[in-house]
Amino acid sequence: MSGVVGIKSEIDKAHKLYYSLCSIQHRGEDAAGMVLSDGKRLSRIRALGLVNEIFDDDNLVDTPGEYGLGHVRSSPEGRNMNYNVEPLLSFARDNELSLGHDGNLINYYDLKKKEESIGTVFHTHTDSELILLLITRYYEGDIVKAIRKAMADIKGAYSCVLCMPDKIVGFRDYMGIRPLFLGYDEETTIIASENCAMEVLDIDNYRDIEAGEIVVVDKEGIKSYQAYDRVDCKHCIFEYIYTARPDANIENINAYNFRVRSGELLYEQAPVDCDLVCPVPDSGTPSAIGFAQKSGIAFASGLVKNRYMGRTFIKSSQKEREIAVRLKLNPQKSVLADKRIVLVDDSIVRGTTCAKLIKRIRKAGAKEVHIRISSPPFTHPCFYGVDTPDRKKLLAFNLSLEQMREQIGADSLEFLTLENLMKLIDKPENYCKACFTGQYPIEKECL
């Protein structure tokens, strides 16, 4: 997972870019970078760490140009290295180009192998470098044509922002798998992964960039280049379940309302007689609220969250995830003791951290621990930008529902069915559900 922000502003673009990056920090906590234009050249700052650790008053110095690009990155296991940090830079026909990318190319290794066979040298482990390489190769003065040619070669999920000294360009794959937005006011135009990156700048006029659309922002204004004939929308359903912030409004669906409603449906599907409904904060909180409201069972904060810890799902290794969970969540004995608990979370992937959490809740005195998950069982890996493990490490792929319940140590376990999940969206056919079904939207020979 990653997050991108491109900006055009005559006034204080560096700090605006910083604020927007901070707002999408949840999309990537391993590294961050920023590129600023001075009108002729691009300058770059990037490093491992959080946005507020990398940028400060000393390096957030504005440049004369109007354009900038920022990126936050969550690295796959073993790939959290400085040379992989985006935005990346390249050169073509006396022009500098920089790219930030959210998503994953499924034909990356095939294309890379072909490039290496003709002597191309790569400097990172990222598919973002391949996208930038192709755009640079095809660029002959028309950036839209170059991007279209690159889009014909690559397959998978990509929501990208490209920055040049005199423009920013946003483009989204023909399935629109990962989100991307365009917003503007009288002073600023912005392209970003989520609407919160715009609202933090008090920009309320925004829209989704459509699947297959290329948007160019330069001194002449905003130009849109659509590709309706190639579009086959398959938006990521997991954005609503976990990835996006609760205030995200992706494809006209609000993530918070989606999660609350999923909790309500979860109670209707799998009621349980208990004393308290407790969320696994923060991603499980809206669904727990919906579950409590529908059931009439009291809502309580049985787990206290350390606000200085990030998202455990996107840590690079299992050991890091387990330590992060202990640091992040602590059972509150005064709430849990002698109570029957319904613990509501958004998903179970590997199951190891869930099992350890249940043990700690029982140690805190809970009499019963019932688990309710506001999404279907995660049975297949994602190839489109969510760093999930291979199938053998997915709890739901290997075990039946009862076996999963026994392994994590819960008194009962229920997942929201796919049928109920699809009730939360208007056009189910427009969404990728491969992590639950194994039916991948891109032809299987590419996987």
Side-chain angles (χ1 to χ4, degrees):
M1 298 187 332
S2 296
V4 292
V5 179
I7 196 166
K8 175 184 183 292
S9 180
E10 296 181 8
I11 303 171
D12 203 17
K13 68 177 178 297
H15 282 88
K16 289 179 180 179
L17 197 54
Y18 171 80
Y19 301 141
S20 291
L21 283 177
C22 286
S23 74
I24 60 167
Q25 181 75 86
H26 60 284
R27 299 189 71 88
E29 298 178 343
D30 288 335
M34 185 185 296
V35 160
L36 298 174
S37 166
D38 67 3
K40 296 181 179 180
R41 295 286 182 265
L42 301 178
S43 58
R44 179 174 59 176
I45 306 165
R46 59 177 185 166
L48 301 178
L50 300 174
V51 174
N52 64 359
E53 296 170 342
I54 296 168
F55 303 105
D56 54 34
D57 289 337
D58 291 332
N59 56 28
L60 278 177
V61 179
D62 222 351
T63 55
E66 300 179 27
Y67 305 93
L69 168 63
H71 188 268
V72 291
R73 172 178 167 82
S74 174
S75 304
E77 188 168 348
R79 297 295 174 90
N80 190 24
M81 298 156 182
N82 191 63
Y83 52 75
N84 288 330
V85 180
E86 300 179 34
L88 304 179
L89 272 171
S90 187
F91 306 89
R93 297 182 178 270
D94 296 324
N95 244 306
E96 297 183 5
L97 299 86
S98 182
L99 182 81
H101 166 218
D102 176 27
N104 192 57
L105 302 185
I106 58 156
N107 63 340
Y108 165 63
Y109 290 105
D110 288 341
L111 290 176
K112 184 181 180 184
K113 185 177 180 180
K114 290 179 183 179
E115 290 293 333
E116 289 175 331
S117 71
I118 61 173
T120 303
V121 176
F122 288 86
H123 302 282
T124 76
H125 291 137
T126 71
D127 50 359
S128 307
E129 184 180 9
L130 181 62
I131 298 173
L132 184 57
L133 168 71
L134 293 172
I135 293 172
T136 303
R137 175 177 296 163
Y138 294 136
Y139 180 68
E140 296 180 348
D142 188 327
I143 193 61
V144 175
K145 286 185 178 179
I147 291 172
R148 280 282 180 234
K149 287 183 177 180
M151 290 172 72
D153 292 343
I154 58 180
K155 295 182 179 181
Y158 50 92
S159 286
C160 300
V161 180
L162 182 82
C163 183
M164 299 173 70
D166 61 347
K167 62 177 65 71
I168 54 170
V169 186
F171 58 99
R172 197 175 177 196
D173 65 80
Y174 294 108
M175 292 184 174
I177 297 175
R178 306 251 71 82
L180 196 64
F181 290 83
L182 168 69
Y184 57 89
D185 61 15
E186 294 179 356
E187 187 179 277
T188 304
T189 303
I190 183 171
I191 300 171
S193 294
E194 292 187 31
N195 50 280
C196 59
M198 301 167 186
E199 292 172 351
V200 73
L201 303 180
D202 206 23
I203 296 175
D204 296 318
N205 184 23
Y206 58 82
R207 68 168 178 86
D208 295 274
I209 290 177
E210 301 295 331
E213 182 181 4
I214 300 173
V215 174
V216 178
V217 179
D218 58 20
K219 63 181 180 180
E220 296 180 3
I222 302 171
K223 295 180 181 178
S224 170
Y225 302 84
Q226 299 279 0
Y228 296 114
D229 57 328
R230 297 192 58 181
V231 169
D232 180 20
C233 291
K234 289 290 182 281
H235 311 305
C236 176
I237 196 72
F238 201 61
E239 288 280 346
Y240 302 120
I241 294 168
Y242 173 83
T243 310
R245 268 180 33 162
D247 54 348
N249 298 310
I250 303 172
E251 306 298 335
N252 299 313
I253 296 176
N254 176 261
Y256 178 82
N257 291 336
F258 179 99
R259 293 168 190 177
V260 170
R261 181 62 180 140
S262 69
E264 294 174 348
L265 291 176
L266 187 56
Y267 175 74
E268 292 176 358
Q269 174 193 312
V272 61
D273 184 19
C274 282
D275 302 311
L276 296 174
V277 176
C278 297
V280 178
D282 282 323
S283 55
T285 300
S287 298
I289 291 171
F291 194 98
Q293 290 175 343
K294 195 68 176 179
S295 67
I297 302 171
F299 178 91
S301 297
L303 297 170
V304 176
K305 181 179 178 180
N306 178 348
R307 296 293 169 183
Y308 297 95
M309 287 300 300
R311 305 183 88 172
T312 55
F313 176 81
I314 57 176
K315 296 299 179 186
S316 297
S317 69
Q318 182 60 33
K319 184 177 181 180
E320 283 182 306
R321 282 185 290 272
E322 291 177 7
I323 293 173
V325 167
R326 293 188 67 85
L327 288 170
K328 178 181 177 181
L329 301 172
N330 193 49
Q332 191 167 196
K333 294 181 181 180
S334 60
V335 174
L336 300 173
D338 299 320
K339 295 293 194 300
R340 298 168 299 165
I341 305 299
V342 183
L343 194 66
V344 181
D345 203 358
D346 61 276
S347 59
I348 293 179
V349 181
R350 301 163 185 85
T352 51
T353 53
C354 181
K356 292 179 183 298
L357 191 57
I358 291 171
K359 286 181 180 179
R360 294 176 67 205
I361 290 172
R362 292 194 187 281
K363 187 177 179 181
K367 291 196 297 185
E368 298 176 10
V369 183
H370 300 268
I371 302 296
R372 295 294 181 267
I373 304 298
S374 58
S375 66
F378 217 128
T379 56
H380 292 74
C382 176
F383 298 106
Y384 308 128
V386 179
D387 186 27
T388 50
D390 60 51
R391 294 182 70 179
K392 294 179 181 179
K393 295 181 181 179
L394 294 172
L395 188 72
F397 171 72
N398 294 291
L399 304 176
S400 67
L401 183 66
E402 177 60 20
Q403 289 171 328
M404 284 190 281
R405 183 199 68 77
E406 290 180 356
Q407 181 152 319
I408 66 175
D411 289 284
S412 71
L413 170 65
E414 294 287 347
F415 293 83
L416 187 67
T417 64
L418 184 61
E419 179 183 4
N420 277 333
L421 186 72
M422 291 300 100
K423 293 177 181 178
L424 302 172
I425 52 180
D426 293 331
K427 297 179 179 179
E429 68 276 10
N430 284 357
Y431 286 84
C432 175
K433 306 171 282 288
C435 52
F436 307 129
T437 66
Q439 298 174 359
Y440 295 99
I442 301 175
E443 56 267 28
K444 294 209 171 189
E445 58 263 28
C446 293
L447 297 178

